[in-house]
Amino acid sequence: MLTSERPAELRTRYTLADTRRRRPAAHWLITAPLLVLLLGLALLWLQSLNFEAARDLREGSRSSAITLLDDNGLVMARIGDGQGNYVTLGEMSPWLPAAVIAIEDRRFYGHLGIDPIGIARATFRNLIALGVVEGGSTITQQLAKLAFVGPERSFTRKIKEAAYALSLERRLSKEQILEAYLNKVYLGGGAYGVDAAARRYFGKTAGTLSLAESAMLAGLIKAPSRFAPTRKLERAQARARVVLQSMVEQGAVDRVQAERAIAAPATLAGSSRNSGDQRYFTDWVAAESHLYTSTLQPRLTVQTTFDQALQRHAEAAADAVFERHADKADATQLALVAMTPDGRIKAMLGGRRYRESQFNRAVQARRQPGSAFKLFLYLAALDEAIQPDNRISALPIDVDGWRPRNADDAYPKRVTIAHAFTHSVNTAAVRLAEYIGRDKIVQKARQLGITSRLHDHPSLALGSAEVTLLELTAAYATVANGGSMVWPEGIVSITGADRATLYQRSEIDERVLSADAVAGMTRMLEDTLIEGTGWRAQMPGFVAGKTGTSSDYRDAWFIGFTHDLVVGVWVGNDDGKPMQQASGGGLPAMIFKDFLTRSRGAPEPLPAPVAGGEAIAGLSQD
């Protein structure tokens, strides 16, 4: 006989478990009517609106376009729908709307704006795949999101999107909805609308697209950045094959037509294939421009600080050094920023190749700068009246159980402050940081524009906090310009369609470094190239800079400047894999020198350094 020794406890467990099993059903009995009520209220609200937006869709209003001018006023890029024209369905290749319907909304002509069958099918496939492999939004819903709702992710947004979709279906024909959608949808590469994308990728209009090209554009809608052919052509072609298969299943093309398109896949036009790595800069500036203007502006002209000649020199220098040394160093990526001492960006490399990766390592990546961060430590020390010729102990030091090492494993009793800086003596740097206080290092970094998070650990003095190349280069520009605050920027002015000025760059007149601090730091930065770790960047005339290498050679940096140009270089691997003893004095310093050699020639010299040498009380050990 099977009985429980504690029947009351078992009954309690059963009751709780049974409640949990039944709760979802009860939950939906309550929430389902509420959802219907909310949707009904939303529909009533939309009916009360003056639906001018629907008329705008028929007239072809689209997202704003941006024209970017270089520092000479020449057009360097057009981003957005300014690359193409508004085209009617009759002006498009017939393959294009057929491909989009086949892959995005098979029941487009059979639903009323919301497709319950499509939602159910997508839900079922996502459950089987244990992930999101198919969406349930109709083309009408996607148009509603593009035109009225925006990209926010919330339950309220889905309700509004559905309500707008139903209202659009009442006011516009299916052809008008599809036409508006194809002229608004983002297809990667800064292209809004199918004509812009056709010109961007294939160098032709939307009306002349082949079946293979139409399938590729339709395939971009799901994930424009991932499937963009400028990023990885093979992946875009594979996605196009999926679209063609869907077209066959829907009867839009026969199998023979699809096989011919698969055998001769779409390829990029020459101008798209070799568009140059200035796209790192143009993408960044285009995003920045929206911080200063309304997104409702239909046309923007942005005067930038960009120097296309310097950009070509930067690309050539990076290619030359990487071809000779990158394999041996086991390095795969780099970033470079060149700016004037007042912060005007002149050139930018966000990676080895834009078409392979659009991630901008100069602006978006935060990495450990190593000894390049010591700029803030030694500037803080100069503020405390510590001079470059004062002496400090470089013997081993223990701070709360942490013991820094010197790269050469040498630990002299005393070195000058200047020697500790130019030769990156870590024990001396940590001792100096603990003497003046880490809070003063953080304060100095903030004064010079570092906005990244800085931790309170003794390793901060050695650059263990993560920063961006852009902000660190701008901090060195503060020294290069004599001590005035620098805010790095690529925009000079922005004008609207009516030529009215919407934004004008203003100079920052805020001195954050004393003349003595600038003079002392400049001398140490110059000595770093003459006799220290940055000797590979040495050139005739005045050049100053600092190397940086993070632990295990994961990051290598060189930040330096002449009288009129400040350049920051980072080399490493995206996954943080250690390089083969690649230091900041290696590839980054060589890229820096090659770039300056190509672009500027030999700079002017500065006066010779002054010698000296008193020990600092409390820091020297005899």
Side-chain angles (χ1 to χ4, degrees), residues 389-423:
D389 57 355
N390 291 146
R391 295 182 178 276
I392 184 173
S393 170
L395 291 173
I397 181 173
D398 185 311
V399 183
D400 299 329
W402 177 73
R403 299 177 181 180
R405 291 181 58 253
N406 294 331
D408 58 1
D409 279 327
Y411 302 90
K413 287 185 177 181
R414 285 197 303 177
V415 296
T416 65
I417 292 292
H419 179 92
F421 181 86
T422 60
H423 294 272

Side-chain angles (χ1 to χ4, degrees), residues 329-333 366-370 466 548-557 570-584 588:
D330 200 12
T332 58
Q333 278 297 348
R366 284 182 165 80
R367 306 295 289 252
Q368 293 183 346
E466 296 179 337
T549 310
S550 67
S551 60
D552 298 324
Y553 300 99
R554 297 178 188 276
D555 305 279
W557 305 65
W570 167 86
V571 171
N573 296 305
D574 284 340
D575 60 2
K577 176 185 175 182
M579 295 176 286
Q580 295 297 319
Q581 296 187 329
S583 67

Side-chain angles (χ1 to χ4, degrees), residues 10 16 55 63 92 95 192 195 206 264 271 273 398 413 560:
L10 287 177
L16 291 174
R55 185 179 300 112
S63 303
M92 298 178 195
W95 303 121
Y192 290 84
D195 194 58
S271 59
R273 186 166 52 247
D398 185 311
K413 287 185 177 181

Side-chain angles (χ1 to χ4, degrees), residues 23-33 35:
R23 185 175 296 166
H27 174 73
W28 281 108
L29 286 174
I30 297 172
T31 57
L35 293 177

